[in-house]
Amino acid sequence: RAADEQKANGTAENPGTMADKTPDPYFDLILDEDLANNTWPKVMDEHKKAETQSIMCQCITKELFEEYKDKKSKSGWTIARAINTGVTNPTSFTGCHAGDLDSYYTFKDFFFPVVEKYHVGYNTATDKHVTDMDVNKIETVLDKHAESKIISTRIRCARNLSMFPLNTCGTKETRVAIADLMEEVFKTFPEELQGTFFRHSTMTEDEITFWVEKHFLFRGKDVMQAASGYHADWPYGRGIYVSKTENFMMWLNEGDHLRIISMNQDGDIKTTFDRLGKCAKAVEDGIKKVTGKDDVFARDDVLGMITCCPTNLGTGMRGSVHIVIPKLIAKIGLEGIDAIAREMQCQVRGSSGEHSEVVDRVDISNWRRLGFPEYELVHDMVKCVNKVSQMEDELE
């Protein structure tokens, strides 16, 4: 399949037809006209008057842009590329992305305030990120009434390989190289994690339909992510790895290089979290074995695991459950439930992801990422789920 993808992908000398077709805003990188000319985007003057602004809009100034506009990170990332998402999509919550670890330091006076605005309470000048995936440290008990309402649990973490630029700054060649590398890594997994790797570029229609219906397959087609460069050269280099048991899955080059996902079709949060820790270790050990390198993930003492989006820095972890709470939804709606969750360091979405319709169930997940060990973020989620479930029962 790797050979098939390389053939379809073209070569550096013959990159294919991407340049010949009309850009698709759902997949292709389209720069704001001013940013394309490396000048302050005029639309930002209007964006800054808005009542609600992206974090990027709150942190960037014309003076800061002028100071940084001719600088580049080690992978060639620029301030123009960094802010394009929020400039072209003013409703974006964050509105900016990094191109590599060095981006966060090359444009430090922009990115560090962004980090502190999202990760409230984290001090980039004095704090250090900590990591701890010990399931035995989860002391908060999931109440039985809450567990009975949960229909599925997913906990995932993002990882980026230190020997490649982030996908915002990547190419067809780097994406395919990551997929090829990971195909070798999958062979090193222990028996309980063995499975099948499906590349987006060579999947059959039947395979696509099957995994879409199981909600395992990512499909791209997001204007905000496309504006960062996430979806460039779609579908090359993308893929999913699914274990035989279907309780462990990986997404390759969806946004970050790797999303390691552990899941259960019930409310057994501890088992799901414990499996995630074992899977993350198997992935790291496998990459070390195949590459011969000791430090394979992009990470930093202050920022933790490095990710394209500043919101995922730190643990890069999102733990979520789908919980059935029809009465509470009918009474206060998604926004009302989300307001309660925010006070408990969590967030609530529709059960099919952001902006999805809500009928009888919601997705509850941790909000914090940076400055807290993974097990503590699971505490956040469990406490919130218990509270929401109790509110549902009180309406009976």
Side-chain angles (χ1 to χ4, degrees):
R1 290 198 174 204
D4 291 340
E5 180 161 2
Q6 291 284 12
K7 183 177 179 181
N9 196 30
T11 64
E13 294 77 19
N14 181 24
T17 59
M18 178 67 74
D20 303 327
K21 73 180 184 70
T22 303
D24 181 346
Y26 286 104
F27 286 97
D28 299 330
L29 170 63
I30 303 173
L31 277 171
D32 169 81
E33 189 173 340
D34 288 328
L35 290 179
N37 291 315
N38 204 28
T39 57
W40 172 252
K42 293 184 286 290
V43 294
M44 282 298 293
D45 297 330
E46 292 302 314
H47 294 348
K48 281 185 168 289
K49 297 175 185 177
E51 185 176 337
T52 303
Q53 300 176 15
S54 67
I55 296 177
M56 176 279 292
C57 191
Q58 297 170 51
C59 293
I60 193 69
T61 63
K62 187 173 183 179
E63 292 71 26
L64 199 55
F65 180 87
E66 293 297 330
E67 177 186 341
Y68 280 148
K69 71 177 186 179
D70 295 320
K71 293 186 177 182
K72 290 185 177 181
S73 72
K74 291 176 181 177
S75 296
W77 197 244
T78 64
I79 193 68
R81 283 292 309 276
I83 67 174
N84 187 59
T85 297
V87 171
T88 56
N89 299 278
T91 59
S92 170
F93 181 83
T94 309
C96 57
H97 292 84
D100 53 10
L101 165 57
D102 189 50
S103 303
Y104 286 104
Y105 287 91
T106 300
F107 310 112
K108 183 177 181 179
D109 290 343
F110 166 65
F111 270 121
F112 275 36
V114 167
V115 168
E116 291 184 355
K117 273 191 178 292
Y118 181 86
H119 302 277
V120 178
Y122 194 76
N123 187 331
T124 53
T126 58
D127 292 344
K128 302 289 185 184
H129 179 69
V130 291
T131 186
D132 192 335
M133 299 181 81
D134 185 352
V135 69
N136 296 312
K137 292 183 179 178
I138 300 176
E139 297 173 351
T140 309
V141 177
L142 180 67
D143 294 335
K144 290 295 182 184
H145 62 80
E147 186 171 359
S148 67
K149 298 181 183 71
I150 295 173
I151 55 176
S152 65
T153 304
R154 276 194 188 190
I155 310 181
R156 57 82 166 159
C157 59
R159 296 289 185 267
N160 286 286
L161 303 179
S162 59
M163 64 287 292
F164 292 97
L166 298 179
N167 277 330
T168 45
C169 198
T171 63
K172 275 187 186 178
E173 289 72 24
T174 60
R175 287 181 172 90
V176 172
I178 290 166
D180 291 348
L181 168 62
M182 290 309 299
E183 193 161 36
E184 295 304 308
V185 171
F186 298 147
K187 296 173 185 176
T188 71
F189 286 173
E191 179 59 33
E192 64 267 24
L193 302 183
Q194 283 296 314
T196 306
F197 179 39
F198 301 91
R199 293 181 186 246
H200 279 59
S201 55
T202 56
M203 267 190 205
T204 66
E205 286 302 318
D206 286 345
E207 287 172 335
I208 290 172
T209 301
F210 179 78
W211 294 118
V212 165
E213 290 178 351
K214 288 181 76 73
H215 302 287
F216 281 20
L217 189 67
F218 64 92
R219 302 301 303 275
K221 199 173 183 180
D222 183 301
V223 290
M224 293 188 191
Q225 292 184 347
S228 75
Y230 269 2
H231 297 332
D233 307 309
W234 184 273
Y236 303 112
R238 279 74 172 191
I240 61 169
Y241 176 85
V242 184
S243 70
K244 294 173 185 176
T245 54
E246 295 188 4
N247 58 17
F248 162 52
M249 177 171 66
M250 288 182 65
W251 285 359
L252 268 65
N253 294 325
E254 176 262 349
D256 292 303
H257 296 158
L258 310 175
R259 290 215 189 277
I260 304 166
I261 305 166
S262 174
M263 50 202 170
N264 262 41
Q265 298 305 311
D266 56 28
D268 192 348
I269 295 173
K270 279 194 171 184
T271 294
T272 309
F273 179 67
D274 188 41
R275 186 188 306 115
L276 178 73
K278 291 174 181 175
C279 293
K281 186 177 187 308
V283 171
E284 184 168 13
D285 289 347
I287 298 171
K288 287 179 177 179
K289 183 176 181 179
V290 172
T291 63
K293 297 180 182 295
D294 292 329
D295 196 9
V296 296
F297 290 142
R299 68 180 94 204
D300 180 74
D301 287 347
V302 175
L303 302 175
M305 290 295 176
I306 299 302
T307 54
C308 301
C309 183
T311 64
N312 282 326
L313 289 168
T315 61
M317 192 190 93
R318 181 176 183 268
S320 69
V321 299
H322 285 182
I323 184 169
V324 179
I325 46 171
K327 296 182 184 67
L328 194 59
I329 291 170
K331 185 171 179 65
I332 64 175
L334 180 68
E335 288 188 6
I337 301 169
D338 186 49
I340 293 165
R342 298 283 173 161
E343 293 179 1
M344 303 183 74
Q345 311 297 340
C346 289
Q347 68 179 130
V348 175
R349 301 176 176 180
S351 58
S352 295
E354 287 186 283
H355 318 305
S356 61
E357 186 180 1
V358 176
V359 181
D360 64 346
R361 65 200 62 184
V362 296
D363 174 303
I364 298 178
S365 65
N366 62 289
W367 173 258
R368 302 191 290 188
R369 305 274 194 275
L370 179 62
F372 303 91
E374 288 84 351
Y375 73 83
E376 195 167 330
L377 304 185
V378 177
H379 278 301
D380 290 347
M381 180 177 66
V382 172
K383 289 175 184 175
C384 185
V385 169
N386 284 342
K387 172 70 173 178
V388 168
S389 174
Q390 180 184 350
M391 292 178 70
E392 172 76 7
D393 289 345
E394 288 172 354
L395 293 174
E396 293 182 348

